[in-house]
Amino acid sequence: MMDEELKCPVCGSLFKDPILLPCSHNVCLACARNIIVQTPEGETPPHSRASNSDYDYLDMDKMSMYSETDSGYGSYTPCLKSPNGVRVFPPTLVHRHCSITCPLCHRSVSLDERGLRGFPRNRLLEAIVSRYQQSRSVNVKCQLCDRNPVDATVMCEQCDVFYCTPCQQRCHPSRGQLAKHRLVPPTQSPVAGGQQMPAATLRKQGTCADHDTMNFSMYCVNCKTPVCMKCLEGGKHGSHDVKPLAAMWKQHKCQLSQALNGVSDKAKDAKEFLVQLKNMLQQIQENGVEFEACLVAQCDALIEALTRQKAKLLTKVTKEREYKLKVVRDQITHCTMKLRQTTGMMEYCLEVIKENDPSGFLQISDALIKRVTSSQDQWVKGALEPKVGPEFDLTLNTDPLLQTLIQLDFVQSKVESATVPPAPLLQLEKCCTRNNSATLAWRVSVFPSNPIEGYVLELDDGNGGQYREVYVGKETVCTVDGLHFNSSYNARVKAYNSTGVGPYSKTVVLKTSDVAWFTFDPASAHRDIVLTNENQTVSCNSYDDRVVLGTAAFSKGVHYWELMVDRYDNHPDPAFGVARINTMKDMMLGKDDKAWAMYVDNNRSWFMHNNSHTNRAEGGISKGATVGILLDLNKHTVTFFINKQQHGPVAFENLEGVFMPAVSINRNVQVTLLTGMEVPKNFKQQ
């Protein structure tokens, strides 16, 4: 792993004669010569201009470095000419007006008249590379083996001795004072004569790059570089803060050791974390196999339960079939016997009738007549009707089970349940429908750590379409009005809190009423309207026509209701039909464009919409008459029935949207509303 630290970023090989750039990165001396570029201030000497076409881009690079060199920072263009994408230039460039760019951080620095000699040679890195190469190429031998030394396995840093495993256990056991010694993997350093020496050798003194004969003895804190005594006497470091080299060496070693301790702790944590992750891989694999087996077992249990239930249901069907077969067979036997008796008696009577002896006939005729009459009485009503039908009175409703199977899924994870609310539970015993309204109730079995802020109730369109929100709030019971009649709605609910929105509950199917049950609506009625009989009977206090609407609202489907005329005086013109909720309430129904109606007197009737009278028909009303209204929103027609006689259907314009049953009367009329009725059987769609 350390070999990546020992490789040159230009050539990709181990460092050879490394030099230290001002940015603290290192490059080989030979590689540094290859990445020197010329700056615009100088001109390339004729002898340095390359003749090979591979270097024709040199002039272009002069311009690219112009502004960057001034600031001390620059960039280089990556290239595939070297392992790390560094563009290699010919080595014949002069140092004057040249710069070098670090291949790692891309920082550029100009060269002075000393050229690359102005960069210090990294002797420490060079020594580390040398030890690394030797440790890989030569096996270190044990220094305590008497004959045929074997490869050393450890080296004691305090004793500076290489040990093989047997010698280390015999001569350097890890107990007593020796337990404090540090044993490390063996390395070797060569010396003259090819003899083997411990790695901890005498350190070599570095010489000053400006004064070749002087060794480094001081450290310039300002420039952060070792200097010699001559550098302090007349050089640029004379006024800088300098300290003894040995003291700074120890101080920086101490700082590096302290920093390494922190990194070592992190590396230790990382190793433990990797062990944890590797153990987790095994646990995940084992838990996955176990969970799959558990899932298979659960599904098999469901299949087994379904198979048992299937067998029970088949047994019920078999019993029902056997019962029906027995009843029919018994009825066949009984009927056959009676038929045989009756047929025999009939044949005997016919033979008696053929006889010409009056006295003999009269002797037995009374008894025969009684027998025939008695036999006829035996064929009572129902005797020739089957006691059972071929149909099976068994109905299997699999829809709830299918919905449950479709929604079969894993419960919410522990992480999620601690944050977002769980799926609410629909209380099916409290969910119901009435007319075109649906009431739903729900609860939460487990409350999350964050309190629930509200719920969102969603219904589809009654045809299996997209869901839409119909309620958002804190209540756990909600009634939704204005649904379509004779429709099945899918409903679901979810909870939310400050963390987020939880999962949906299971879906419940609610079917609205096939027919409409409703009354007159006192809230929308004109003030002259009087409602009695639980808002099913309407009268009026005014001689003018006044309008009252029903409580039901229709938007699709076919609907039928009737009105019975309880009182009819002075031949008024009551009107019956449908209207929008904003129709005029102080005039006859149908005079504005919000109502579609038929008004009728004692002799004839007319259809009316937007004060337009059409389709005059004979036949009026009186006390006790019934008026039926059939609204077909699928075909946008209205049909009227006066005493079961059909008038229409009539297709009105703009008969789309939401409509309510409507009536307009004055004080001479009283009618009673009859709802929950099927479409008349004699209805003819024209």
Side-chain angles (χ1 to χ4, degrees):
M1 290 182 288
M2 187 183 67
D3 57 350
E4 296 299 326
E5 296 286 335
L6 306 180
K7 289 183 180 180
C8 174
V10 178
C11 63
S13 302
L14 294 176
F15 283 108
K16 185 176 182 181
D17 300 329
I19 61 174
L20 186 63
L21 301 179
C23 57
S24 299
H25 293 132
N26 300 275
V27 292
C28 298
L29 180 60
C31 296
R33 294 192 183 100
N34 291 336
I35 62 174
I36 295 175
V37 295
Q38 211 170 21
T39 55
E41 289 81 359
E43 295 182 358
T44 306
H47 67 274
S48 67
R49 191 175 297 274
S51 59
N52 196 315
S53 59
D54 289 344
Y55 305 122
D56 290 342
Y57 49 75
L58 184 59
D59 293 334
M60 190 164 33
D61 281 342
K62 294 180 187 179
M63 298 301 297
S64 66
M65 294 299 299
Y66 184 78
S67 60
E68 299 168 341
T69 306
D70 293 341
S71 61
Y73 286 86
S75 63
Y76 69 97
T77 304
C79 178
L80 297 179
K81 298 289 183 178
S82 70
N84 293 318
V86 179
R87 179 174 292 176
V88 179
F89 289 94
T92 55
L93 294 174
V94 296
H95 295 153
R96 185 175 176 82
H97 303 304
C98 290
S99 63
I100 186 172
T101 300
C102 175
L104 294 179
C105 65
H106 310 322
R107 178 178 177 180
S108 295
V109 60
S110 298
L111 303 182
D112 56 16
E113 62 278 357
R114 296 176 299 171
L116 295 178
R117 291 180 61 254
F119 299 119
R121 187 171 176 178
N122 195 337
R123 300 181 184 277
L124 189 64
L125 177 59
E126 189 174 358
I128 294 174
V129 171
S130 178
R131 288 201 304 269
Y132 178 77
Q133 290 176 322
Q134 294 166 8
S135 66
R136 292 196 307 170
S137 59
V138 180
N139 292 330
V140 181
K141 300 298 182 179
C142 176
Q143 293 178 303
L144 297 183
C145 291
D146 296 333
R147 298 179 181 178
N148 299 323
V150 298
D151 293 342
T153 57
V154 295
M155 183 196 77
C156 176
E157 288 188 338
Q158 284 72 26
C159 302
D160 284 346
V161 177
F162 293 95
Y163 300 94
C164 64
T165 301
C167 293
Q168 182 265 324
Q169 294 176 351
R170 184 178 67 254
C171 303
H172 199 290
S174 298
R175 60 178 179 268
Q177 292 296 326
L178 296 178
K180 299 180 181 181
H181 288 200
R182 183 182 179 189
L183 301 179
V184 297
T187 59
Q188 118 174 355
S189 297
V191 295
Q195 295 296 320
Q196 183 176 295
M197 289 186 62
T201 57
L202 294 175
R203 61 180 182 269
K204 185 177 180 179
Q205 291 288 339
T207 57
C208 179
D210 297 330
H211 309 94
D212 296 339
T213 59
M214 300 296 295
N215 292 333
F216 291 123
S217 59
M218 304 298 288
Y219 181 81
C220 178
V221 178
N222 299 72
C223 300
K224 296 183 179 180
T225 182
V227 295
C228 66
M229 295 303 298
K230 286 188 177 182
C231 294
L232 299 179
E233 292 175 358
K236 59 182 180 180
H237 305 284
S239 60
H240 291 180
D241 182 16
V242 293
K243 293 185 179 180
L245 186 66
M248 292 302 296
W249 176 50
K250 293 181 179 180
Q251 178 182 343
H252 281 212
K253 268 196 172 185
C254 181
Q255 292 177 357
L256 181 59
S257 298
Q258 292 176 355
L260 281 176
N261 289 335
V263 176
S264 177
D265 294 339
K266 296 298 181 182
K268 182 180 178 181
D269 295 341
K271 289 181 180 179
E272 294 176 353
F273 180 64
L274 285 174
V275 173
Q276 179 183 354
L277 291 179
K278 291 179 180 179
N279 293 336
M280 188 180 296
L281 285 176
Q282 183 65 22
Q283 293 176 0
I284 291 174
Q285 185 69 19
E286 295 174 356
N287 292 344
V289 174
E290 181 181 355
F291 195 83
E292 288 177 358
C294 181
L295 177 62
V296 171
Q298 288 178 312
C299 292
D300 290 343
L302 291 176
I303 296 173
E304 184 180 355
L306 186 61
T307 303
R308 290 196 301 267
Q309 194 65 23
K310 173 186 173 182
K312 292 181 181 179
L313 295 176
L314 287 175
T315 302
K316 290 184 179 181
V317 173
T318 302
K319 289 182 179 179
E320 182 72 11
R321 183 184 68 233
E322 295 299 328
Y323 168 75
K324 287 179 177 289
L325 290 175
K326 183 178 183 302
V327 171
V328 173
R329 289 189 182 114
D330 292 345
Q331 197 171 7
I332 290 174
T333 301
H334 182 69
C335 185
T336 301
M337 183 180 64
K338 289 181 63 177
L339 180 60
R340 185 183 297 114
Q341 293 174 353
T342 302
T343 303
M345 184 187 64
M346 289 174 58
E347 292 177 353
Y348 175 70
C349 290
L350 290 175
E351 292 298 326
V352 170
I353 291 174
K354 292 179 182 179
E355 294 294 328
N356 294 326
D357 184 1
S359 59
F361 179 82
L362 291 174
Q363 285 179 348
I364 63 174
S365 59
D366 287 338
L368 286 176
I369 291 172
K370 289 181 180 179
R371 282 186 61 190
V372 171
T373 303
S374 175
S375 177
Q376 184 178 359
D377 292 340
Q378 290 180 359
W379 298 96
V380 296
K381 183 178 180 181
L384 298 180
E385 295 180 358
K387 293 183 179 180
V388 294
E391 297 82 9
F392 282 72
D393 299 330
L394 300 173
T395 302
L396 182 62
N397 183 13
T398 60
D399 291 342
L401 181 58
L402 286 176
Q403 289 185 2
T404 302
L405 289 176
I406 291 173
Q407 296 172 355
L408 184 64
D409 202 349
F410 300 107
V411 296
Q412 197 174 12
S413 66
K414 296 179 180 179
V415 176
E416 292 178 346
S417 62
T419 54
V420 299
L425 300 176
L426 288 168
Q427 298 179 280
L428 301 181
E429 68 278 5
K430 296 182 180 181
C431 297
C432 60
T433 59
R434 184 179 182 275
N435 263 354
N436 61 337
S437 298
T439 299
L440 295 102
W442 58 87
R443 62 182 177 87
V444 177
S445 57
V446 179
F447 288 91
S449 56
N450 295 336
I452 295 176
E453 296 181 359
Y455 303 90
V456 179
L457 176 63
E458 296 182 356
L459 267 70
D460 65 3
D461 59 358
N463 288 323
Q466 293 184 349
Y467 284 87
R468 68 186 191 280
E469 293 183 1
V470 296
Y471 171 76
V472 178
K474 296 183 178 180
E475 300 297 330
T476 57
V477 178
C478 178
T479 298
V480 183
D481 299 318
L483 303 176
H484 299 310
F485 285 92
N486 193 23
S487 299
S488 296
Y489 287 87
N490 293 298
R492 63 187 184 184
V493 65
K494 59 184 178 181
Y496 63 90
N497 59 12
S498 58
T499 304
V501 181
Y504 285 105
S505 67
K506 293 182 178 180
T507 302
V508 63
V509 180
L510 299 173
K511 189 178 185 303
T512 54
S513 176
D514 294 338
V515 295
W517 298 84
F518 58 93
T519 62
F520 289 116
D521 183 15
S524 63
H526 191 276
R527 60 179 177 273
D528 294 333
I529 291 292
V530 178
L531 298 177
T532 57
N533 188 24
E534 297 182 349
N535 296 334
Q536 290 184 326
T537 300
V538 59
S539 58
C540 183
N541 291 329
S542 173
Y543 284 105
D544 296 322
D545 291 307
R546 300 293 186 241
V547 173
V548 59
L549 303 179
T551 55
F554 305 118
S555 57
K556 76 170 189 176
V558 181
H559 310 279
Y560 179 76
W561 64 95
E562 290 183 352
L563 296 116
M564 179 176 292
V565 180
D566 302 326
R567 179 167 52 83
Y568 186 78
D569 302 329
N570 302 323
H571 310 300
D573 299 326
F576 311 90
V578 296
R580 301 190 191 277
I581 192 171
N582 58 345
T583 187
M584 301 295 293
K585 308 297 193 308
D586 56 356
M587 63 175 64
M588 179 183 288
L589 189 69
K591 285 200 170 186
D592 62 2
D593 61 350
K594 304 294 190 304
W596 294 258
M598 178 190 72
Y599 71 93
V600 57
D601 59 15
N602 60 322
N603 290 320
R604 61 189 65 85
S605 63
W606 294 263
F607 292 159
M608 184 166 64
H609 169 65
N610 200 16
N611 205 24
S612 175
H613 308 253
T614 59
N615 297 74
R616 171 181 168 177
E618 297 299 325
I621 61 173
S622 60
K623 181 180 178 180
T626 59
V627 178
I629 298 95
L630 192 153
L631 175 64
D632 188 346
L633 290 171
N634 298 330
K635 297 184 178 180
H636 311 293
T637 61
V638 180
T639 306
F640 298 93
F641 296 83
I642 299 179
N643 295 324
K644 307 301 181 181
Q645 182 179 358
Q646 180 174 335
H647 294 256
V650 175
F652 286 109
E653 295 181 358
N654 302 322
L655 195 61
E656 294 182 357
V658 179
F659 302 92
M660 298 179 176
V663 176
S664 68
I665 60 173
N666 61 17
R667 66 182 305 165
N668 293 315
V669 183
Q670 176 178 303
V671 295
T672 296
L673 180 63
L674 305 175
T675 61
M677 308 185 71
E678 299 286 347
V679 176
K681 294 182 179 180
N682 61 342
F683 169 61
K684 296 179 181 180
Q685 183 70 50
Q686 299 178 359

